[in-house]
Amino acid sequence: MKKRPRSHIIESLGFNHIERQILLSGCLLYRYYDDYGYDGAIHLFSHSGEIKNGQVQFQLKSTDHINYLPEKDVFTFDLSDVDLELWLSNNYTVLLILYDARKNKAYYLDLQEYFRENSHVLRNMNKFVRVYIPRKNRFTPRFIQKFKI
């Protein structure tokens, strides 16, 4: 008998969690089902409810086994050079969103901002680069509100 693997369950839970945060902020999530480096986009609206030009694109990584470094209070995640090339050339904000399925919490990293501040990391990159996501970077409606005018 066919079974639904845990990886599919936590992926669905991750989308469910971030969509709720996006809706609570007054914005909309558009999910991409054909994944070519992005899992979706957040379509933005002003505080008065008017649609805004632009969007925030994201890549969602859902896991039961989040890698946390308590001494730095960060989560780590390895990104491929091919994905980074795409994301860093984007004119829109691109977020890496890390969903912790065990705690039902999500954390974000603004990739363009991160690599503007840590450009030295790109010079020594091979096929992968490790990024550090501060635990304080919770993906919440309040965070999404910063994109609204």
Side-chain angles (χ1 to χ4, degrees), residues 19 22-23 25-30 41-45 51 58:
E19 182 172 32
I22 293 165
L23 291 172
S25 77
C27 296
L28 288 174
L29 175 137
Y30 285 148
I42 303 167
H43 285 253
L44 305 170
F45 294 81
I51 192 163
F58 67 86

Side-chain angles (χ1 to χ4, degrees), residues 49-84:
E50 297 168 345
I51 192 163
K52 289 179 60 177
N53 286 327
Q55 59 186 329
V56 175
Q57 293 185 306
F58 67 86
Q59 179 69 37
L60 173 64
K61 301 296 185 181
S62 299
T63 184
D64 274 329
H65 306 288
I66 198 163
N67 190 12
Y68 177 64
L69 298 177
E71 64 276 8
K72 294 184 178 185
D73 201 23
V74 296
F75 304 102
T76 65
F77 199 85
D78 292 336
L79 302 173
S80 77
D81 60 348
V82 176
D83 286 331
L84 275 177

Side-chain angles (χ1 to χ4, degrees), residues 14-31 41-46 49 58 139-145 148:
F15 271 103
N16 176 269
H17 179 81
I18 67 166
E19 182 172 32
R20 179 166 176 70
Q21 306 313 303
I22 293 165
L23 291 172
L24 288 170
S25 77
C27 296
L28 288 174
L29 175 137
Y30 285 148
R31 185 172 176 177
I42 303 167
H43 285 253
L44 305 170
F45 294 81
S46 70
F58 67 86
F139 188 81
T140 63
R142 185 174 184 173
F143 164 69
I144 300 161
Q145 292 277 336
K148 297 174 83 169

Side-chain angles (χ1 to χ4, degrees), residues 3-149:
K3 292 184 179 182
R4 186 167 190 224
R6 176 72 179 155
S7 61
H8 291 186
I9 293 168
I10 64 173
E11 179 182 351
S12 295
L13 288 169
F15 271 103
N16 176 269
H17 179 81
I18 67 166
E19 182 172 32
R20 179 166 176 70
Q21 306 313 303
I22 293 165
L23 291 172
L24 288 170
S25 77
C27 296
L28 288 174
L29 175 137
Y30 285 148
R31 185 172 176 177
Y32 304 152
Y33 289 95
D34 295 324
D35 182 355
Y36 294 101
Y38 301 101
D39 286 321
I42 303 167
H43 285 253
L44 305 170
F45 294 81
S46 70
H47 290 293
S48 61
E50 297 168 345
I51 192 163
K52 289 179 60 177
N53 286 327
Q55 59 186 329
V56 175
Q57 293 185 306
F58 67 86
Q59 179 69 37
L60 173 64
K61 301 296 185 181
S62 299
T63 184
D64 274 329
H65 306 288
I66 198 163
N67 190 12
Y68 177 64
L69 298 177
E71 64 276 8
K72 294 184 178 185
D73 201 23
V74 296
F75 304 102
T76 65
F77 199 85
D78 292 336
L79 302 173
S80 77
D81 60 348
V82 176
D83 286 331
L84 275 177
E85 185 179 342
L86 173 68
W87 297 334
L88 296 180
S89 67
N90 195 321
N91 292 327
Y92 294 120
T93 299
V94 178
L95 301 176
L96 171 65
I97 302 173
L98 185 60
Y99 173 69
D100 183 344
R102 289 186 180 189
K103 294 186 178 176
N104 191 35
K105 293 181 181 177
Y107 307 89
Y108 70 88
L109 188 64
D110 178 328
L111 291 168
Q112 286 102 335
E113 182 180 301
Y114 182 84
F115 285 105
R116 266 192 303 277
E117 295 172 4
N118 297 283
S119 60
H120 65 281
V121 174
L122 295 173
R123 288 187 289 255
N124 301 324
M125 183 173 69
N126 290 317
K127 290 188 182 248
F128 294 92
V129 64
R130 177 159 290 166
V131 294
Y132 299 90
I133 305 165
R135 189 169 57 117
K136 68 179 183 178
N137 285 15
R138 289 281 308 278
F139 188 81
T140 63
R142 185 174 184 173
F143 164 69
I144 300 161
Q145 292 277 336
K146 82 175 205 167
F147 295 103
K148 297 174 83 169
I149 295 176

